[in-house]
Amino acid sequence: MNAEYAVYPCAMLGSVENRSVSPVFVGRAAELTALTAALARASGDAPGAAGSAGEPQLLLLGGEAGVGKTRLVEELIAEACRREAAVAVGGCVEIGADGLPFAPFSTALRTLHRRLPEELAEAAAGQEGELARLLPELGEAAAVAHRLRLFTDAAGPRADPAAGGGS
């Protein structure tokens, strides 16, 4: 993975340290296998997908505090980096009993918007208004494009002097 595409789980928390203490990965082999299978499907490396561009994948990992979620995600990110995949990670921040329900999605979208703006714009084409609920920056781009279309429609077709028209 290129360093410019690297995205870390604590994007919302700035420079807070997020590495696990132990370099040894224990007890989550089945979960890691399921996650790396999703990575293979995304990259088109899954069995039977030879030459395929892959399928988008969205993974949501949940569980009680201390069960190894962060360590599991770190292992998946390391594997994704070995495969040179673009990775966007969002994390939950608990604020009171409810937390921020869409914070992981907003964080991941914001990272993609910063790191891969053209690819995100292409993937989100036509859905910017909906996605702007999670990431207002996407709505701003859609609003500018809409205003530009209104302006060009209002201006009407320009006369082509070469065709004998115009002023």
Side-chain angles (χ1 to χ4, degrees):
M1 170 183 241
N2 297 333
E4 66 187 23
Y5 296 135
V7 180
Y8 299 100
C10 66
M12 289 181 60
L13 303 177
S15 62
V16 174
E17 179 62 35
N18 66 357
R19 288 291 304 164
S20 296
V21 176
S22 175
V24 179
F25 183 67
V26 177
R28 295 285 180 250
E31 291 87 349
L32 184 58
T33 298
L35 295 175
T36 54
L39 179 60
R41 287 189 303 273
S43 63
D45 295 336
S52 170
E55 300 174 8
Q57 302 289 302
L58 173 68
L59 305 172
L60 178 62
L61 184 63
E64 297 296 320
V67 298
K69 296 178 303 293
T70 299
R71 187 69 173 96
L72 181 58
V73 168
E74 288 172 352
E75 289 294 317
L76 179 63
I77 290 171
E79 180 60 28
C81 290
R82 283 189 287 274
R83 296 179 187 209
E84 298 182 358
V87 177
V89 177
C92 294
V93 177
E94 287 195 34
I95 299 177
D98 296 328
L100 298 172
F102 295 107
F105 302 104
S106 297
T107 303
L109 280 172
R110 183 166 287 112
T111 299
L112 291 171
H113 184 63
R114 288 181 185 152
R115 305 287 185 186
L116 304 168
E118 293 169 5
E119 291 86 344
L120 179 60
E122 181 180 335
Q127 301 300 316
E128 297 89 351
E130 291 296 318
L131 289 173
R133 293 176 172 179
L134 298 173
L135 185 63
E137 296 93 323
L138 293 175
E140 293 167 11
V144 168
H146 179 70
R147 285 193 299 270
L148 180 61
R149 278 193 306 273
L150 287 175
F151 176 75
T152 56
D153 289 348
R158 294 178 39 184
D160 182 2
S167 36

